[in-house]
């Protein structure tokens, strides 16, 4: 049941998103994380107040400590650092550090499990918004190797297997 909750939340919020967009607002949502882009500080304040009021009227409980209602030009959203002044999206340094650590561990290991490689692959794919083609190029051989590990050797997700030269 819990795996269906993100999809259910998205479906429940679709009419809200449609309503806001029909009012000309550039509103985006991923599960329960919303983002509204505005052309000016004043417009952003007005749209923010409207969204807050509408959510309250609809009976949604909003956790104030998780919300940023004041307009921002630099913020983190869905695991990315967004800079509206430079019009850029970047990977937070801590996320890059954790990725390098996972990659180094996988490359230095003599044996890895499919679960380890899928974790590394998921991290690569999570950065595809910034590293689009590179993320797909890097993840493809990992998926291929995991597929070989699981289907050819009947291994489980936790069975350690020697690292292939095509991965290293």
């Amino acid at each position: 049941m819990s795996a269906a909750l993100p999809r259910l939340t998205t479906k429940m919020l679709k009419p809200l998103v449609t309503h806001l967009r029909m009012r000309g607002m550039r509103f985006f949502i991923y599960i329960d994380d919303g983002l509204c882009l505005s052309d000016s500080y004043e417009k952003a304040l007005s749209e923010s107040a409207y969204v807050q009021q509408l959510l309250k009227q609809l009976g949604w409980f909003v956790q104030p400590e998780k919300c940023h209602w004041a307009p921002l030009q630099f913020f983190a959203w869905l695991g990315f650092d967004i800079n509206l002044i430079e019009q850029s999206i970047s990977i937070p340094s801590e996320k890059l550090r954790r990725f390098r650590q996972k990659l180094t561990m996988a490359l230095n290991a003599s044996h890895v499990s499919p679960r380890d490689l899928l974790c590394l692959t998921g991290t690569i794919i999570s950065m595809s918004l910034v590293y689009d083609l590179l993320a797909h190029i890097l993840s493809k051989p990992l998926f291929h190797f995991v597929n070989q590990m699981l289907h050819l050797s009947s291994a489980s997700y936790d069975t350690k297997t020697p690292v292939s030269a095509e991965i290293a």
Side-chain angles (χ1 to χ4, degrees):
M1 177 74 170
S2 64
L5 288 177
R7 181 162 170 76
L8 179 64
T9 303
T10 300
K11 285 190 168 284
M12 287 175 55
L13 290 172
K14 187 172 182 174
L16 171 73
V17 173
T18 301
H19 170 77
L20 295 173
R21 288 181 179 170
M22 286 178 63
R23 291 180 52 91
M25 295 171 67
R26 292 180 291 170
F27 190 81
F28 306 92
I29 197 159
Y30 179 78
I31 304 176
D32 64 345
D33 290 320
L35 172 66
C36 188
L37 300 176
S38 302
D39 295 329
S40 69
Y41 184 84
E42 292 77 19
K43 187 175 178 182
L45 284 174
S46 171
E47 290 178 343
S48 175
Y50 180 78
V51 170
Q52 286 180 74
Q53 174 196 12
L54 184 59
L55 288 172
K56 187 175 182 179
Q57 287 175 345
L58 293 172
W60 285 87
F61 175 74
V62 178
Q63 294 179 310
E65 67 277 3
K66 291 189 172 186
C67 299
H68 300 281
W69 296 107
L72 301 169
Q73 293 179 320
F74 181 80
F75 54 93
W77 193 59
L78 302 179
F80 294 97
D81 287 336
I82 300 175
N83 185 329
L84 296 177
I85 295 169
E86 295 178 3
Q87 296 184 354
S88 66
I89 299 174
S90 60
I91 309 293
S93 58
E94 178 58 23
K95 188 173 186 177
L96 283 174
R97 187 195 63 74
R98 286 192 314 267
F99 167 68
R100 286 187 195 109
Q101 185 179 29
K102 287 179 189 177
L103 182 60
T104 300
M105 287 175 59
L107 291 174
N108 291 335
S110 60
H111 292 71
V112 294
S113 71
R115 187 177 311 278
D116 296 335
L117 291 179
L118 288 173
C119 180
L120 178 62
T121 304
T123 302
I124 292 169
I125 290 171
S126 76
M127 295 187 285
S128 63
L129 182 63
V130 174
Y131 298 122
D132 187 30
L133 184 59
L134 181 61
H136 294 286
I137 290 170
L138 291 173
S139 62
K140 189 171 183 171
L142 289 172
F143 273 128
H144 179 69
F145 186 60
V146 167
N147 191 44
Q148 285 181 325
M149 291 169 75
L150 292 172
H151 295 291
L152 297 179
S153 67
S154 300
S156 76
Y157 280 99
D158 295 309
T159 303
K160 300 280 187 180
T161 306
V163 176
S164 166
E166 67 187 74
I167 299 299

